[in-house]
Amino acid sequence: MIVFWRLFLAYFLTDFVLFNHAGEKAFARSRAAGFLLHGGVFLLLGLGLCHGYLTMTWPFLELVHLPGWVCILLFTVFHVFSDDFFQFGGKFRHGYVVTFLVKNLVNLLFLFLCVPFHVLYETGNFFAEPWVIFLVGLIVSTRVLGWFIFAVEQDRYGSEYPTFDARWLLMMARAIFFLIMLLPGWRWAAVLAVWFSACAYARRNRLLDVSSMAFYVGIFGSVLIGFLVRMRFYWM
């Protein structure tokens, strides 16, 4: 699963770090430029992270075996157009959440059906590379979880995209919850209680201006993701 998790990381880096709100602005100016920029970012990341596996044959959608670089190129085309096709926000109730879930599930399923699983047999571990798992967990707990919360609030309240200060403050808070879960021994429990109390105090005094749903979903989600990554570091 080395290849899968590396492409997983490339996918999340592209969509949630390097090409998110800025990407929407690029599409608004020029759809062609937006498509090229979106695809180019993922293609470079995918090829770079999987450079040692590009000439290996991959089972493209379990239909035909192709070189790895061809599979990444084909996924790039699929990803760019699926990202534009699966847009349901504002069309029906919960449209933004459905968009978030469907786009990510479809793209990750595509990746899952293309990667060479025999790489797993070489390592014997589903989560072979700790550094990739750590980066995936950090991005999911900060950026991906933040976008999910934003999608929910768009559906419920018609919320506008968070300001730069609010976005980074909340991301930092979730990142700290995630990192606390990686502390050795049982010290994480005490630090977690202290950090939760600090965040609750900040929210009560409106230093963290966020809804109850966003506050508690953000905390629970980042702690859960941190716990799962902790399992990889200490129990596997």
Side-chain angles (χ1 to χ4, degrees):
M1 294 299 287
I2 290 176
V3 174
F4 174 74
W5 285 113
R6 289 191 180 198
L7 287 176
F8 198 98
L9 177 61
Y11 171 73
F12 277 161
L13 279 172
T14 300
D15 271 31
F16 296 100
V17 178
L18 302 175
F19 193 84
N20 46 73
H21 193 56
E24 294 180 2
K25 293 181 178 178
F27 270 109
R29 291 193 297 268
S30 170
R31 287 177 60 83
F35 281 129
L36 289 173
L37 180 61
H38 192 176
V41 170
F42 175 81
L43 186 61
L44 290 175
L45 285 174
L47 294 175
L49 288 170
C50 299
H51 65 277
Y53 305 93
L54 298 180
T55 57
M56 181 185 296
T57 56
W58 295 12
F60 180 71
L61 298 180
E62 300 294 334
L63 298 174
V64 61
H65 285 76
L66 297 171
W69 67 270
V70 176
C71 291
I72 293 177
L73 181 60
L74 292 173
F75 173 76
T76 301
V77 175
F78 172 81
H79 171 54
V80 168
F81 285 97
S82 67
D83 196 65
D84 185 61
F85 179 77
F86 294 109
Q87 291 290 342
F88 309 116
K91 296 179 180 178
F92 52 82
R93 189 181 182 186
H94 307 308
Y96 289 104
V97 172
V98 171
T99 296
F100 177 89
L101 295 176
V102 170
K103 281 200 307 182
N104 288 298
L105 287 174
V106 167
N107 280 278
L108 294 178
L109 178 61
F110 192 112
L111 287 180
F112 190 78
L113 293 176
C114 289
V115 297
F117 281 98
H118 56 273
V119 177
L120 172 63
Y121 308 142
E122 297 175 6
T123 63
N125 194 327
F126 192 83
F127 308 102
E129 297 180 299
W131 68 273
V132 175
I133 301 303
F134 170 78
L135 289 177
V136 167
L138 183 62
I139 293 170
V140 172
S141 61
T142 53
R143 302 291 291 184
V144 180
L145 187 57
W147 268 98
F148 173 73
I149 292 170
F150 174 53
V152 173
E153 296 198 325
Q154 275 185 303
D155 284 329
R156 295 182 64 182
Y157 314 120
S159 301
E160 296 293 329
Y161 191 71
T163 62
F164 178 85
D165 291 345
R167 186 167 71 253
W168 283 95
L169 191 62
L170 293 172
M171 283 172 50
M172 182 188 70
R174 291 194 297 270
I176 293 175
F177 276 111
F178 169 79
L179 294 172
I180 286 172
M181 297 304 298
L182 303 183
L183 292 174
W186 288 96
R187 70 188 67 178
W188 62 267
V191 179
L192 184 68
V194 171
W195 182 239
F196 174 79
S197 299
C199 290
Y201 174 83
R203 180 170 178 265
R204 186 167 57 249
N205 289 275
R206 302 191 69 81
L207 298 175
L208 279 176
D209 191 10
V210 61
S211 67
S212 296
M213 187 279 299
F215 182 72
Y216 290 108
V217 169
I219 291 175
F220 177 78
S222 53
V223 168
L224 176 61
I225 295 163
F227 177 76
L228 294 175
V229 175
R230 178 186 181 84
M231 292 174 62
R232 169 60 186 87
F233 277 82
Y234 297 109
W235 300 347
M236 293 183 182

